[in-house]
Amino acid sequence: MNLNRSWTKAAGSIALVLCLFQGGAVRAMSDYVVRADDKLKIKIFQYPELSGEHTVRANGTISIAPIGEIAVDGLSTEEIANRISERFVRAGISDKPGTSVEVLETRPVYVLGDVQKPGEYRFRPGMTILQVVSLAGGWLRFNDPGLMRLDRDSINITGEMQTLVRRYNQLMARRARLNAELTMASDIQFPPDLVRQSQNDGELQQLILEERSLLNIHVEALKTQIDSLQQNRTLYEREIEAISRQIQANKAQSASVERELTEVRDLVKRGLSTIPRLSGLERMLAQLEMNEQGFQTLILRSRQSITQADQKIFDLKSERNASLTAEVQKVRMDLDDVGVKYETNRHLLFEAKVTVPTLVGNTDGAIETRSLTVVRVQDGKARTFDAEEHTEILPGDVIRVQRSILPSALNVRAFSGLNPILPTGIQK
């Protein structure tokens, strides 16, 4: 029994010495504050079976079987060791348990922005921003093979822009011709820019000639239809005039027959004329009246034909105007579409010829700057501050790297030579 007590005292003395030795290590880490996801190595010298590794939960606690959960979030390793010892003493398990706490693995640090491999990286004490960027592959470098096809892309974009310019010229010429058709003009007033370009562009000259030819064809076709209807209208008017003259002659004949009929009736009463002669005159007068009614019917039909001709002329003009107006609206929408596509391709061309080469360091005189910022959680609040390459970081820090390149004025001016010849309208 005495031997056991002596061994217990000796073990307690050794544990106390080890505790003091480990305490030096703890004090060396006393500035570090433990947070969630940190991995701790805890040694309890009197109860080695309770020693082990513990990961701090999201709620900031760890769990040791005899004493339960312990809140460690925001504590140093020394404070955690003292708290574990106090819990053992308070539970009556041991009066001097001898505890040490060591941080095995801290929270990672995070890098985002203009680095080769953004992501999370393991923290090491004394780590600086430059070291973290090195772990992330260094500053962003454009070495993707896809970016080496810039020349081909710029050629394709330039070809697309030239196609859009031709399409724009076609639409402008068509709109000028449609406006001329609406007013039945004999010639087209093309935009001055289009006329100036045509002086050095054979294709554009041919386009203007074709539009003028189309104007003549369409206007002549419409005029032919209207002239045909006008001629029919004139014929009906002349027919009315001829029928009117026939009516006048018929009326004169009717008046003559009525006078003769009056005289014959008087003669018949006196027995100086025969009944058949009277009947013949009456039949003649009735026939003349029927003729007049027929003439009036012909006049009504001719007037109806004139009205129909006028309506056809009106409908022809209205349908043509409606069709031309719809075409003008479609041309305007197509022009807007061409303008949007051209502007998009212009930005893509600028990207291929200026921006991306600048980013890969392929421009002379470019000014390169980098901004480094750190987001750090302190006392439950996120704080953002500017940093330098040699700024030391802490576990859980988020490092944001932003690279800015100002292309040289020479390259920006050179881009003006990349645009195909373009009328003023499409640039607007």
Side-chain angles (χ1 to χ4, degrees):
M1 181 67 68
N2 292 332
L3 180 62
N4 290 337
R5 288 179 179 176
S6 299
W7 172 251
T8 302
K9 290 180 180 179
S13 300
I14 295 171
L16 181 59
V17 171
L18 290 173
C19 181
L20 293 175
F21 175 78
Q22 292 291 340
V26 170
R27 281 192 296 273
M29 294 289 292
S30 60
D31 291 338
Y32 178 72
V33 175
V34 173
R35 298 292 182 187
D37 295 330
D38 283 349
K39 191 172 183 179
L40 307 178
K41 182 177 181 180
I42 299 176
K43 291 183 180 180
I44 304 172
F45 299 108
Q46 288 185 350
Y47 302 96
E49 68 276 6
L50 299 180
S51 301
E53 298 177 358
H54 299 265
T55 300
V56 182
R57 301 190 186 101
N59 61 358
T61 64
I62 59 173
S63 179
I64 299 176
I67 58 177
E69 285 191 350
I70 302 173
V72 298
D73 185 61
L75 302 180
S76 66
T77 54
E78 183 178 2
E79 291 171 334
I80 295 172
N82 292 335
R83 180 167 292 189
I84 294 173
S85 297
E86 290 173 1
R87 291 287 291 273
F88 268 92
V89 173
R90 200 183 315 161
I93 300 173
S94 174
D95 55 349
K96 293 181 180 180
T99 306
S100 70
V101 178
E102 179 183 354
V103 179
L104 290 181
E105 187 176 326
T106 64
R107 302 181 305 283
V109 292
Y110 304 89
V111 186
L112 56 88
D114 294 328
V115 293
Q116 288 295 104
K117 296 182 291 184
E120 65 176 52
Y121 294 91
R122 185 174 179 178
F123 172 81
R124 292 194 299 270
M127 179 178 284
T128 65
I129 287 181
L130 188 59
Q131 291 172 337
V132 177
V133 171
S134 299
L135 291 176
W139 309 116
L140 182 63
R141 300 182 302 276
F142 288 87
N143 54 5
D144 188 341
L147 294 175
M148 303 307 162
R149 299 194 299 267
L150 295 177
D151 287 340
R152 188 183 68 182
D153 291 344
S154 63
I155 291 173
N156 291 336
I157 295 171
T158 302
E160 177 67 19
M161 293 174 71
Q162 291 173 346
T163 301
L164 290 172
V165 170
R166 286 195 296 270
R167 177 64 176 160
Y168 171 84
N169 290 335
Q170 293 171 357
L171 292 172
M172 290 298 292
R174 182 182 303 172
R175 184 169 69 175
R177 187 251 302 166
L178 293 173
N179 289 331
E181 286 190 38
L182 281 170
T183 59
M184 299 290 288
S186 58
D187 195 12
I188 305 174
Q189 296 296 324
F190 291 103
D193 287 341
L194 206 62
V195 175
R196 282 195 298 270
Q197 288 187 57
S198 67
Q199 295 174 359
N200 300 316
D201 190 338
E203 182 179 352
L204 197 52
Q205 289 179 1
Q206 183 63 29
L207 174 64
I208 290 176
L209 291 176
E210 290 174 357
E211 292 295 339
R212 284 193 169 124
S213 177
L214 283 175
L215 173 68
N216 293 332
I217 293 173
H218 293 168
V219 171
E220 288 300 324
L222 182 62
K223 284 183 177 180
T224 299
Q225 291 177 306
I226 293 175
D227 289 345
S228 177
L229 293 172
Q230 290 286 8
Q231 289 175 2
N232 290 338
R233 189 181 189 282
T234 301
L235 291 175
Y236 289 127
E237 289 176 346
R238 290 177 181 176
E239 184 176 0
I240 291 173
E241 292 176 359
I243 294 172
S244 297
R245 288 193 294 269
Q246 290 180 352
I247 290 174
Q248 294 299 325
N250 190 75
K251 286 182 177 181
Q253 189 176 0
S254 296
S256 175
V257 171
E258 285 180 356
R259 288 193 300 269
E260 185 177 357
L261 182 59
T262 301
E263 293 175 356
V264 170
R265 283 173 180 168
D266 184 59
L267 291 174
V268 169
K269 287 179 182 180
R270 290 184 295 174
L272 299 176
S273 181
T274 63
I275 296 300
R277 184 183 178 189
L278 178 62
S279 299
L281 289 173
E282 289 176 347
R283 285 194 297 272
M284 185 180 295
L285 183 60
Q287 183 64 42
L288 290 172
E289 290 176 353
M290 288 179 63
N291 290 343
E292 184 173 354
Q293 291 177 359
F295 292 146
Q296 293 295 341
T297 301
L298 290 175
I299 289 177
L300 290 176
R301 289 178 181 174
S302 296
R303 286 176 177 169
Q304 184 179 6
S305 297
I306 290 174
T307 301
Q308 290 176 351
D310 290 339
Q311 185 63 42
K312 287 181 179 179
I313 292 174
F314 177 79
D315 291 343
L316 191 62
K317 291 181 178 179
S318 297
E319 291 175 3
R320 183 59 182 164
N321 287 339
S323 176
L324 290 172
T325 302
E327 287 190 51
V328 169
Q329 291 176 349
K330 184 178 183 304
V331 168
R332 184 177 67 249
M333 294 174 62
D334 290 344
L335 282 170
D336 292 340
D337 184 58
V338 167
V340 171
K341 290 181 178 178
Y342 185 89
E343 187 64 16
T344 301
N345 279 277
R346 190 181 69 83
H347 285 296
L348 290 175
L349 186 61
F350 185 86
E351 191 78 12
K353 284 293 187 181
V354 177
T355 304
V356 174
T358 297
L359 291 176
V360 300
N362 196 22
T363 55
D364 297 329
I367 301 174
E368 177 179 352
T369 61
R370 291 186 183 90
S371 63
L372 303 172
T373 55
V374 175
V375 180
R376 179 175 297 168
V377 177
Q378 290 181 334
D379 299 327
K381 296 181 179 180
R383 185 173 69 91
T384 303
F385 59 91
D386 294 332
E388 302 294 337
E389 293 181 354
H390 300 290
T391 300
E392 291 191 8
I393 58 175
L394 297 179
D397 282 353
V398 179
I399 297 95
R400 183 184 295 114
V401 180
Q402 185 173 359
R403 186 182 188 212
S404 300
I405 301 289
L406 299 177
S408 65
L410 178 61
N411 288 329
V412 174
R413 287 195 299 269
F415 177 70
S416 60
L418 301 176
N419 288 288
I421 298 175
L422 186 65
T424 305
I426 196 172
Q427 295 175 344
K428 297 179 181 178

